[in-house]
Amino acid sequence: MAEELEHGIPGHASKKAWANRLQQWLKSRGVRFEAEGEATRISLDSGVLVEIAERVGGGEGFDVVVSVPLPGSGEEVGDETLAALRDAFELVGLLGGELRYELDDSLPGYPVLRIMRGFEDPERMVDALISALDRLLSR
């Protein structure tokens, strides 16, 4: 509790400098997020969720995982979905690098597109993510 109050980070702030730098930047920009150590979940107004986590599927490094809820079967692709997809693709385009895609349809009627960008160096990941989010949020 004292750490949460000291850093003003929702959840549990990281003790690692790179994660704390990202979390402090998000807080200063008024971006909604939750922190559990290095894991950070960022909620964009368009409905896009950006998660920072240890490499999905194991291995060294970290992944930036951009998730977009998609319409279920028979549902219309509305303006909200289009805005979320635009933000997601703009964000991953600004991150650059090799991307991996996954369609999660494990919950019937609630498909989610996940786009993952791996980073070996967490400092480089934070630099890229702050730069991309800054451009996305400034438009």
Side-chain angles (χ1 to χ4, degrees):
M1 180 77 163
E3 181 181 11
E4 181 177 348
L5 293 174
E6 178 183 342
H7 295 290
I9 302 297
H12 302 285
S14 175
K15 295 184 188 307
K16 295 192 177 176
W18 63 265
N20 194 263
R21 181 168 59 100
L22 172 64
Q23 294 164 5
Q24 291 294 340
W25 183 86
L26 292 166
K27 183 177 179 242
S28 74
R29 288 294 305 259
V31 177
R32 290 177 295 144
F33 73 98
E34 296 174 356
E36 292 296 329
E38 291 76 50
T40 305
R41 288 171 296 285
I42 305 162
S43 300
L44 301 180
D45 290 340
S46 62
V48 173
L49 180 67
V50 181
E51 296 179 85
I52 312 307
E54 291 184 17
R55 178 71 40 91
V56 175
E60 294 294 316
F62 295 86
D63 278 329
V64 174
V65 181
V66 178
S67 300
V68 182
L70 300 173
S73 68
E75 290 182 45
E76 195 174 298
V77 177
D79 291 342
E80 290 175 2
T81 299
L82 292 174
L85 286 167
R86 183 193 67 229
D87 283 359
F89 282 111
E90 184 174 345
L91 181 62
V92 297
L94 291 168
L95 289 175
E98 184 176 330
L99 303 173
R100 299 183 324 273
Y101 299 87
E102 172 183 287
L103 178 61
D104 180 353
D105 58 358
S106 59
L107 292 173
Y110 298 98
V112 175
L113 173 63
R114 288 196 182 89
I115 309 167
M116 294 157 280
R117 164 62 161 96
F119 287 89
E120 299 299 322
D121 178 7
E123 291 289 342
R124 187 167 164 248
M125 175 185 65
V126 169
D127 290 342
L129 188 55
I130 287 174
S131 176
L133 285 169
D134 191 48
R135 286 187 57 189
L136 184 69
L137 296 171
S138 295
R139 62 169 167 81

